Amino acid sequence: MIEIMNLKTSLGSFTLEIEHLKVEKGEYFVILGPSGVGKTILINVIAGIIVPERGRIYVDGKDITRFPPEKRNIAIVPQDYALFPHMNVYENIAYGLRLRKLPEKIIRKKVLELAKSLEIEKILNRKPSSLSGGEKQRVAMARALAVDPKVILLDEPLASLDPKLRMRARNLIKKLHDRLKFTAIHVTHNIVDAVVLSKRIGYMEEGKLVFIGTVDDFIETKYAMPYINEIEEVVKRIK
Amino acid sequence: MHMSRLSRSEPFLIVTFGVLSFFILILLIPIASIFLFFKPSIAEKVFMGQELAGEVRDALITTLEASLISTLILTVLGIPSAYYLARKEFRGKSAIEGFLDVPLAVPHTVAGIMVLTGFGRRGLLGPLTATIGLRICDSFWGIVAAMLFVSSPLMIDTVKAGFYSINPMLEAVSRSLGASAMDTFFKITLPLAWKSIVAGVILSWARALSEVGSILVVAYFPKTINILILEFLNEFGLPYAVALAVPYLLLTLALFIVLRFFVGQRFSLY
């Protein structure tokens, strides 16, 4: 469970202000919003990369606001995936586990397990520079999930994929979440991500979370207007 | 690169090609001619003869030792300094960066005077260097200090550029996976900046090996190879200076080629 209260961060002329956000344990929460509204900044604040001016972040009831990133156990899948270029896929996924000084046997088991569920077991020896966008995205997911984080933050994880691949990747994330029940905050400008992946969503505008609620409720608000066509498209496809 | 093939007959390109050829010629003439003036019989006297060989060997060892020590010190000081500058924004940063580049702009004799006024016997920190037994004027450590002073910007700037080129998100992800800032530096940043660090080492070492102006001022003795070349030129004439210069040139070139080759092989994998 993660709870954010009265959070404020200014970067230049931009201000991020989140009054209250609570994501339950095992929930997949999507924050929707156009680009430039501060979604990435929010992710960075939660991960501890940016220290907020005020406010509190609690994870499972513990105040982690002033914790450095490595003490939070919050993993991140950045927009460009940021795979370590000097390590192969296996080493990327094993990175966090090796830091925890686990026996290599256990690390190996965990990496292979994740690789299987994310369908990347055949590319474990490859370097990130030789991977396709979809493969990179799955490796970044595996690397984040490997450390059993309390929360996993996903910053537009599907944005750089073409539409067909995007749908496959989205379904894979959904399947994975149904099975592993990790707690996730996923920011995106794509309404379909929100509709498919989460029951409850947030909507961000100019540094503020202006809506939190179910997808059905969201569709009734004025914020949903620009997305109506896309939503109808999805509903049609589901039917 | 079929673009360049298409426009090969472009008049402007032909002009730039002409200029490039001229440029290469200007550089090639002195580089090639030094070998034409090289006389093996004189070189034999210089490197094997009883009169000169000892002095030459000592100067060569002094030069290599001093330049390696100055480069080593610079590497140890330069990597953390460059990292801080590349990763941190603070007030007055550009002033500090400008200050660190000062040795590039200072005439080398003046740089030598600066080393003396700073660390020499009568210099600002003279009493301190004297108490720890560190002699600067006409001493090995004076040579090291002069080399360090003139080559420091090359190390800092090259390594800093390397750190700048690394996506900061890689470091952020490493932290979020449980690595401390120091772990992240050694596991992610350093391996990725390795090429730039080696480039910084090569450049500052090359700079140290070629330094003569400030060394003339700070420490004529113990003689370094560049000073000996000057001395040979003044005392025995051009053939003797060439006889000493050519092997020194080949030695340094070989060192750099080997290093570059090593770097290219080992670290061009990604």
Side-chain angles (χ1 to χ4, degrees), chain A residues 28-30 32 158 166-175 177-178 186 188 190-201 215 219 230-231 233-235 237-238:
Chain A
Y28 198 103
F29 189 81
V30 173
L32 186 66
L158 310 172
R166 196 179 170 111
M167 202 164 74
R168 252 188 68 196
R170 197 186 288 126
N171 291 339
L172 188 62
I173 293 180
K174 186 157 178 63
K175 227 167 67 187
H177 181 256
D178 287 345
H186 172 146
T188 178
N190 187 304
I191 181 89
V192 187
D193 290 355
V195 173
V196 173
L197 290 168
S198 71
K199 297 189 177 69
R200 241 164 37 100
I201 67 167
V215 176
I219 293 168
E230 280 173 89
I231 296 172
E233 192 79 9
V234 179
V235 171
R237 218 183 300 145
I238 291 170

Side-chain angles (χ1 to χ4, degrees), chain A residues 104-160:
Chain A
E104 199 59 40
K105 225 170 112 184
I106 292 175
I107 294 176
R108 190 162 183 81
K109 193 166 163 266
K110 179 105 197 172
V111 172
L112 294 179
E113 237 174 63
L114 275 165
K116 195 156 174 263
S117 8
L118 282 151
E119 299 162 18
I120 46 175
E121 66 264 63
K122 289 207 173 68
I123 55 167
L124 286 172
N125 290 322
R126 302 237 311 258
K127 283 275 170 77
S129 56
S130 74
L131 304 181
S132 71
E135 288 168 336
K136 282 183 189 165
Q137 184 265 332
R138 279 175 278 155
V139 175
M141 279 290 287
R143 182 180 59 182
L145 286 168
V147 295
D148 289 322
K150 298 248 188 230
V151 183
I152 170 166
L153 305 169
L154 303 110
D155 186 358
E156 296 274 13
L158 310 172
S160 60

Side-chain angles (χ1 to χ4, degrees), chain A residues 70 76 80 82 86 95 100, chain B residues 167 170 174-177 187:
Chain A
E70 65 267 27
I76 179 167
D80 58 2
H86 55 309
Y95 185 79
R100 283 159 181 73
Chain B
N167 175 6
L170 292 171
S174 163
R175 298 284 301 274
S176 76
L177 291 170
K187 287 181 202 295

